Amino acid sequence: MKKAMRIMYLSALFFLSVTLVFAAGQQDKKAASDDGVTFSWWALSGGGGVDDPRELARQEMIDEYEASHPGVHIELVMLENEAFKQKIQVAIQAGNPPDMFHSWGGGVMIEYAKSGMLRDITDAVNNDLSKRIGIGTLGVYGDAGKYYGGPYDMGAVGMWYNKDIFKEVGVAVPETWDDLLKIVPKIKAAGYVPIALGGGDKWPAHFWWVYLAMRVGGKEAFDKAYNGTGSFADEPFVRAGEKLLELVKLDPFQTGYLGSSYDDEAALMGNKKAAMELMGQWAPGVQVANSVNGEGLGSSLGWFSFPAVAGGAGKLTDVMGGGGGYVLGKNAPDEAVDFLKFLLNKENNITLSKVEGSIPVVAGAEVALEGNENAVKMVKAIASADYYQLYYDQFLPPAVGEAVKDAVANLFAGVSTPKESAEAIQSSWEDNK
């Protein structure tokens, strides 16, 4: 009986092996006969694992495009923000960028273009995308008359807050830095985390220093540092660090914030544990993705501009921000360029706005903002800004952007003084500009 069972088992194993080999052969034949095109697309996830609405929305767009373009296969890779930044650097350094990938435009993108890692899609921009996206917005993805991609989102970094917590504690939206410092102890005494911060990812923390530098020194301080008539070690940038330490001394962040990720930060907001976070237009969507109830704060979520600093040269209306978009890798096929044009149509721009809370840039897609009070406030803030500053870690060359984030992280950790941090940034700027 045992012998018979063994023979049956071996026979079944043999049959399974033959079947697998045959199936693999068929798959190879299919791939060989397909004569199609496969390209890669790296995009940012919003957390939430397999239920990430960002991934689901993009997969639906892929399915629609592939259905109408037989032979085209798109391999979507969703990456968390920090993981994406690390992997794309490795891919660029290896000379093997993905065919289409996320970009914030600006100095980092220009560096990639100068090193020959991006495909020039100027014709596609001039003949197609510029007919539905403003040339100023497209300009973030261009340099010296050439374009390498296009945006689907352009917004602002600002203060997101829980209206219910503010009401319960009895505090008002702060308009000045001193006002912000005054409400922190009150919120903390009520048992809430005053400010959520993913300090371990560094980029959320650098927003705080950059905004303070803007409020203290205004556009003039940055322009001087950038064009060499001044320095990132000048008084406004040192004072920005000093103002930041005023906040840090109040212990306003969650326990262990220096090692926390941005998803941790969003979860604290989405689960109503924290009162505020400083973040971009994508914050509501990431809060939802990282909340236990899958709903986030809903109508309890509010937005206000980063507070003014008394005596500062910067205006309350000055805005730091940026958006999201995609650029094409150097070996991207024509089909990837065509897919980018499809991705940036009105319908898809509306979909991404509703899923991510992004600020649409395609003509006609602004209908997605109807009823979204926070988005409307943000759009008005951008429209009234005399000075719009792209995030430093994207506007400046990659090495300098990293130096800014490291210097600010050292400030938060108490490893360096405001003066030392400012000097470290200037040193990197002199070495890499």
Side-chain angles (χ1 to χ4, degrees), residues 255-268:
T255 301
Y257 73 93
L258 289 174
S260 296
S261 68
Y262 169 49
D263 280 353
D264 296 329
E265 172 182 326
L268 283 169

Side-chain angles (χ1 to χ4, degrees), residues 131-179:
K131 300 184 187 308
R132 46 197 147 109
I133 301 175
I135 200 68
T137 307
L138 282 166
V140 176
Y141 290 82
D143 179 51
K146 294 182 179 179
Y147 294 92
Y148 303 95
Y152 67 87
D153 170 37
M154 192 61 67
V157 172
M159 298 296 300
W160 296 93
Y161 74 106
N162 185 318
K163 295 178 183 176
D164 293 339
I165 292 179
F166 270 47
K167 184 178 181 180
E168 177 187 331
V169 178
V171 296
V173 167
E175 293 188 357
T176 69
W177 185 250
D178 290 341
D179 290 341

Side-chain angles (χ1 to χ4, degrees), residues 119-143:
R119 173 172 171 169
D120 181 348
I121 63 163
T122 303
D123 288 344
V125 170
N126 289 336
N127 299 327
D128 189 294
L129 296 180
S130 62
K131 300 184 187 308
R132 46 197 147 109
I133 301 175
I135 200 68
T137 307
L138 282 166
V140 176
Y141 290 82
D143 179 51

Side-chain angles (χ1 to χ4, degrees), residues 111 225-226 231-232 396-401 403 422-433:
E111 287 293 314
Y226 193 76
S231 162
F232 285 108
L396 298 170
V400 184
E423 289 174 346
I425 293 169
Q426 177 60 21
S427 177
S428 178
W429 173 241
E430 291 173 358
D431 291 342
N432 298 286
K433 62 184 176 182

Side-chain angles (χ1 to χ4, degrees), residues 32 36-37 82 169 197 232 243 325 333 339 391:
V37 173
E82 203 61 22
V169 178
L197 180 61
F232 285 108
K243 303 301 288 184
F339 178 71
Y391 332 113

Side-chain angles (χ1 to χ4, degrees), residues 172-329:
V173 167
E175 293 188 357
T176 69
W177 185 250
D178 290 341
D179 290 341
L180 177 67
L181 297 180
K182 288 176 183 175
I183 69 172
V184 164
K186 295 178 181 177
I187 296 172
K188 193 171 181 180
Y192 296 103
V193 174
I195 300 169
L197 180 61
D201 283 345
K202 295 186 180 178
W203 61 268
H206 109 290
F207 285 166
W208 284 92
W209 183 83
V210 174
Y211 245 132
L212 283 167
M214 290 174 62
R215 293 291 188 259
V216 172
K219 186 175 186 295
E220 183 180 4
F222 179 80
D223 287 347
K224 284 184 175 180
Y226 193 76
N227 64 29
T229 60
S231 162
F232 285 108
D234 286 347
E235 186 270 344
F237 299 100
V238 176
R239 191 163 168 236
E242 294 171 347
K243 303 301 288 184
L244 181 58
L245 291 187
E246 292 178 354
L247 178 66
V248 174
K249 287 178 181 175
L250 297 177
D251 194 19
F253 310 113
Q254 74 275 16
T255 301
Y257 73 93
L258 289 174
S260 296
S261 68
Y262 169 49
D263 280 353
D264 296 329
E265 172 182 326
L268 283 169
M269 285 295 294
N271 291 319
K272 306 177 183 179
K273 303 292 185 184
M276 295 176 279
E277 69 168 329
L278 178 63
M279 191 46 62
Q281 63 274 20
W282 55 86
V286 184
Q287 290 172 10
V288 168
N290 286 281
S291 62
V292 173
N293 63 10
E295 298 177 357
L297 297 183
S299 60
S300 295
L301 183 65
W303 186 90
F304 61 90
S305 297
F306 190 85
V309 173
K315 300 176 183 176
L316 180 62
T317 54
D318 292 342
V319 169
M320 175 179 64
Y326 295 103
V327 294
L328 280 295

Side-chain angles (χ1 to χ4, degrees), residues 3 156 208 269 292 340 362 416:
K3 182 178 180 181
W208 284 92
M269 285 295 294
V292 173
L340 177 66
V362 177
S416 65

